[in-house]
Amino acid sequence: MANKVQGWSRRDVLAVAGAGAVAVAAPRTARATPQEADDLVKKLVGGAAAKEGKVQLKLKDVAESGAAEAVAVAVDSPMTAADHVKAIHVVAEGNPAPGVSSWFLTPRSGKAEVAFRMRLAKTQVVRAYAVMSDGSVWTAKQEIKVTIGGCGG
Amino acid sequence: MAAPAIKSRIPAKAKKGEIIEIKAQITHDMETGQRKDAAGKTIPRRIINKFVCTWNNDVIVSSDWHTAMSANPFVTCYALATDSGKIKLTFHDDSGEVYEQVTDITVE
């Protein structure tokens, strides 16, 4: 068998190729974890427990490009002086840094909605948090599949 | 990097009490500090870290941005039309530079 003559079996080649893939992947482990995302959220919204609901996180299930994926966050709120959204935070669990952006709204914002484009390093869960004027915290999350990451390197 | 340019879409007129949509984009590389150049040297981080929208100097929306914001950030926010005046968009660069755009709006 030609492979044997050269001292490489098909199995050897695959084993080495596999090891190479691991070596290439290893330096890329500098990613945030859900735990780091949780820590950041604690810093952003304080100790209040986030309840699911009120927040609508609009993003695609599969990202077209990890470099600039459209994200919109809308919160169910009348936006009056007595009852409005004070802050919207967007956090990514799988990017090198979990913070994406924090938006601080006022009754003058009229509508509790923001939209922007974000980078996604890999397939991951994106979370949105809304802090209300009464101090309650609401959240929504969604997984987004990413085939081409957008954090360079 | 070329000097950042700001493009925005803000209505020229609005009725009092109407909620208007503000769209803005700034040309900016939003360099994350994660990338390396051809020589293997890390390219230093340089992003827009803060965006503020004011209406006659009252803050409508302010936001803190991190490296996960895309290059040439394109954002949408909303404002309640109260009185005629100026809407100012301000972008704060890591370098300390501040880029501004002022748009006039008439409220009837």
Side-chain angles (χ1 to χ4, degrees):
Chain A
M1 219 164 89
N3 284 341
K4 277 289 175 197
V5 170
Q6 285 164 16
W8 286 90
S9 71
R10 182 173 172 276
R11 192 158 296 188
D12 285 344
V13 170
L14 286 177
V16 169
V22 170
V24 168
R28 290 176 160 263
T29 48
R31 298 272 186 255
T33 58
Q35 181 56 45
E36 276 174 52
D38 284 341
D39 293 346
L40 176 76
V41 168
K42 211 167 270 175
K43 242 183 262 173
L44 291 171
V45 307
K51 285 168 278 186
E52 292 213 0
K54 289 205 183 187
V55 180
Q56 261 184 292
L57 179 60
K58 297 174 206 166
L59 78 167
K60 287 193 188 129
D61 295 329
V62 181
E64 273 172 28
S65 149
E69 192 56 31
V71 183
V73 183
V75 187
D76 180 17
S77 165
M79 292 306 275
T80 58
D83 180 6
H84 61 271
V85 177
K86 272 166 66 182
I88 293 174
H89 304 286
V90 179
V91 174
E93 289 184 0
N95 275 357
V100 180
S101 58
S102 295
W103 299 76
F104 302 98
L105 309 182
T106 66
R108 289 285 306 272
S109 309
K111 189 162 151 183
E113 186 171 340
V114 294
F116 56 90
R117 290 175 183 165
M118 71 176 284
R119 291 178 170 135
L120 294 153
K122 59 167 189 179
T123 297
Q124 59 179 289
V125 174
V126 175
R127 307 186 205 164
Y129 291 84
V131 182
M132 305 300 202
S133 50
D134 66 3
S136 63
V137 180
W138 299 83
T139 183
K141 63 181 175 183
Q142 194 195 311
E143 190 185 42
I144 179 160
K145 284 202 166 50
V146 179
T147 48
I148 306 164
C151 288
Chain B
M1 197 178 75
I6 300 169
K7 278 192 285 187
S8 66
R9 182 175 293 165
I10 296 171
K13 276 183 191 171
K15 288 197 176 71
K16 202 176 169 74
E18 190 185 334
I19 294 167
I20 63 156
E21 185 183 62
I22 296 170
K23 281 182 183 284
Q25 182 166 38
I26 182 166
T27 57
H28 197 287
D29 290 343
M30 298 291 278
E31 195 58 61
T32 59
Q34 304 264 344
R35 296 201 306 161
K36 292 190 167 60
D37 63 14
K41 238 178 91 207
T42 303
I43 305 170
R45 178 186 128 145
R46 185 182 171 184
I47 64 166
I48 302 282
N49 57 49
K50 195 175 171 64
F51 162 71
V52 182
C53 171
T54 62
W55 189 314
N56 288 343
N57 295 323
D58 290 337
V59 175
I60 302 296
V61 174
S62 74
S63 60
D64 294 336
W65 292 1
H66 304 284
T67 49
M69 293 296 277
S70 69
N72 303 325
F74 175 60
V75 299
T76 309
C77 60
Y78 297 86
L80 186 64
T82 46
D83 45 0
S84 298
K86 292 182 189 308
I87 295 176
K88 186 161 83 177
L89 306 173
T90 319
F91 298 83
H92 298 256
D93 195 306
D94 272 349
S95 66
E97 284 162 89
V98 176
Y99 316 111
E100 283 181 358
Q101 190 195 59
V102 178
T103 310
D104 289 308
I105 183 161
T106 308
V107 176
E108 292 151 343

